[in-house]
Amino acid sequence: MKKNIILMGPPGAGKGTLAKQLISLGMTHISTGDMFREEISNQTELGKLAASYINAGHLVPDEVTIKMLQNRLAKPDCENGFLLDGFPRTLAQAEALEGMSKEINRPIETVISLTCDEEELIKRISGRRVCKVCGAPYHIVNMKPKQEGICDKCGGELYQRKDDNVESLKVRLQHYTVDTAPLLSFYSKKGLIVEFNSLVDSGTLFDEVKKFLLS
Ligand code: ADP
Ligand code: ZN
């Protein structure tokens, strides 16, 4: 099975949903967005700094993000392979990752790029709700919980992320185009990119990606 994977795609393409499904294959899911949100809810210094960027849709500075990821990759649960969700997002992060993965002897084996049209991204993000407790994703139209506002899996309260509004989303899409999309050619030159259209239902996408990773 392919290990040490990067999951790329614009906000709303379904990275988080797919990543949570892929955990069943035994890899460690590392989401820099989730890590920042955890710091924010614990009101740490890093959280306060990160919130000032995230809520407006901007990227957290490279230096801070790279250091946080470096500490995370050093943990023993990464030894059986990791799935990076939301990192790298800039060329500087991708270059730092090259160095880090060499150091721990875990080269990136594949980069999954999720594609989706902008109109659909806006619909997905504006209707998205997330469980406060377990992080499970929902949508007020497409993926309704059984009981409004309550997580099916753990009974936790559902909330709307502060950056899931039209203004922040515009900024996030702009950052994707300017800062992150160039990484597609960076990894394409290394022969690592595999593209999947995420305009299918989440079960179908998971099956397709799983088949590819196990091939
Ligand atoms: P989405 O892909 O839906 O935008 P994420 O949860 O991956 O959501 O990220 C949320 C926010 O966290 C980003 O908009 C950004 O502000 C910050 N963030 C996450 N990962 C990174 C990163 N690698 N570099 C800089 N900022 C990041
Ligand atoms: Zn939950």
Side-chain angles (χ1 to χ4, degrees):
M1 192 181 83
K2 294 179 186 67
K3 286 177 176 179
N4 313 325
I5 299 157
I6 296 173
L7 201 50
M8 278 185 62
K15 299 185 296 292
T17 304
L18 177 64
K20 288 193 169 75
Q21 293 166 308
L22 289 171
I23 295 177
S24 64
L25 300 182
M27 52 188 109
T28 295
H29 173 209
I30 302 178
S31 156
T32 40
D34 285 350
M35 291 171 79
F36 285 132
R37 281 185 289 275
E38 171 102 32
E39 297 285 340
I40 293 171
S41 86
N42 292 336
Q43 300 182 353
T44 65
E45 284 308 307
L46 172 58
K48 283 177 203 157
L49 176 88
S52 66
Y53 294 94
I54 293 176
N55 294 342
H58 290 296
L59 294 178
V60 179
D62 282 335
E63 202 188 280
V64 178
T65 308
I66 290 168
K67 201 163 141 209
M68 179 177 78
L69 189 88
Q70 191 163 22
N71 293 334
R72 182 66 188 87
L73 282 183
K75 299 211 167 136
D77 63 349
C78 292
E79 276 167 21
N80 287 325
F82 50 79
L83 176 68
L84 292 177
D85 160 9
F87 186 97
R89 266 178 152 99
T90 64
L91 205 50
Q93 291 179 12
E95 277 160 358
L97 179 62
E98 291 285 288
M100 290 186 248
S101 59
K102 233 175 238 156
E103 213 167 281
I104 58 171
N105 217 0
R106 315 227 158 268
I108 301 299
E109 294 183 14
T110 193
V111 179
I112 294 172
S113 160
L114 298 182
T115 61
C116 192
D117 63 67
E118 199 163 312
E119 201 185 322
E120 175 70 14
L121 296 175
I122 294 168
K123 271 195 236 157
R124 288 183 183 182
I125 294 279
S126 47
R128 173 156 72 180
R129 297 292 182 274
V130 187
C131 173
K132 252 185 192 163
V133 180
C134 74
Y138 293 88
H139 189 279
I140 52 170
V141 181
N142 306 330
M143 231 199 291
K144 282 187 185 176
K146 290 196 186 92
Q147 196 186 337
E148 200 188 314
I150 307 286
C151 176
D152 293 345
K153 298 191 172 79
C154 78
E157 188 191 331
L158 304 187
Y159 79 107
Q160 181 169 34
R161 273 168 45 177
K162 260 198 181 150
D163 59 341
D164 279 352
N165 58 71
V166 178
E167 297 78 59
S168 296
L169 178 61
K170 275 190 197 144
V171 181
R172 283 153 71 198
L173 287 171
Q174 184 77 7
H175 278 297
Y176 184 78
T177 308
V178 175
D179 301 301
T180 311
L183 299 187
L184 295 173
S185 73
F186 176 88
Y187 288 114
S188 169
K189 282 185 198 133
K190 298 177 188 291
L192 292 177
I193 292 269
V194 190
E195 220 172 72
F196 290 89
N197 188 332
S198 79
L199 219 68
V200 294
D201 71 90
S202 59
T204 308
L205 179 66
F206 173 50
D207 287 342
E208 285 174 7
V209 173
K210 188 162 71 174
K211 204 158 97 191
F212 163 72
L213 292 177
L214 295 171
S215 68

